Amino acid sequence: MKLGTPAWIAIAVLAATVNAAASTQDVGSLEKVARNVYGTPPQASRAPQHSGDSVAFQELLETLEDSGALVRFIDGSQLTIGAKSKIQVDQFVFD
């Protein structure tokens, strides 16, 4: 079976949509936030974070002076982030 140009365009758009959805997959949430914590998810702007906010795969988390956060990942593991830190969630292995 031979596919015409419109079919290939539709396949390409679908593949791009699936990849975009995968890159913004939530991998955890902020359980605790102290003072000034910011998150920059993929394809989004930097924004203040609060307890209960989700953490996306490839998100950059930043804490300022006298600030901190506790991230709980979907597998139950935790990450404590201290003051003046930058953490990018660029790898997540879940068995």
Side-chain angles (χ1 to χ4, degrees):
M1 176 168 84
K2 185 176 179 181
L3 295 176
T5 302
W8 281 114
I9 292 172
I11 291 169
V13 168
L14 179 61
T17 303
V18 169
N19 286 338
S23 68
T24 59
Q25 175 185 7
D26 289 344
V27 295
S29 63
L30 288 161
E31 191 166 291
K32 294 182 183 178
V33 171
R35 299 193 183 216
N36 300 303
V37 178
Y38 294 89
T40 309
Q43 313 301 323
S45 299
R46 182 178 187 240
Q49 298 297 292
H50 306 92
S51 293
D53 286 351
S54 62
V55 175
F57 182 66
Q58 297 291 330
E59 182 165 358
L60 175 65
L61 297 170
E62 300 175 74
T63 58
L64 302 183
E65 192 170 321
D66 297 324
S67 301
L70 175 64
V71 179
R72 181 171 302 274
F73 294 101
I74 59 175
D75 67 352
S77 63
Q78 299 179 78
L79 172 64
T80 301
I81 305 172
K84 296 174 143 181
S85 299
K86 289 185 179 183
I87 304 290
Q88 182 156 12
V89 184
D90 61 356
Q91 188 172 40
F92 184 73
V93 179
F94 181 63
D95 290 327

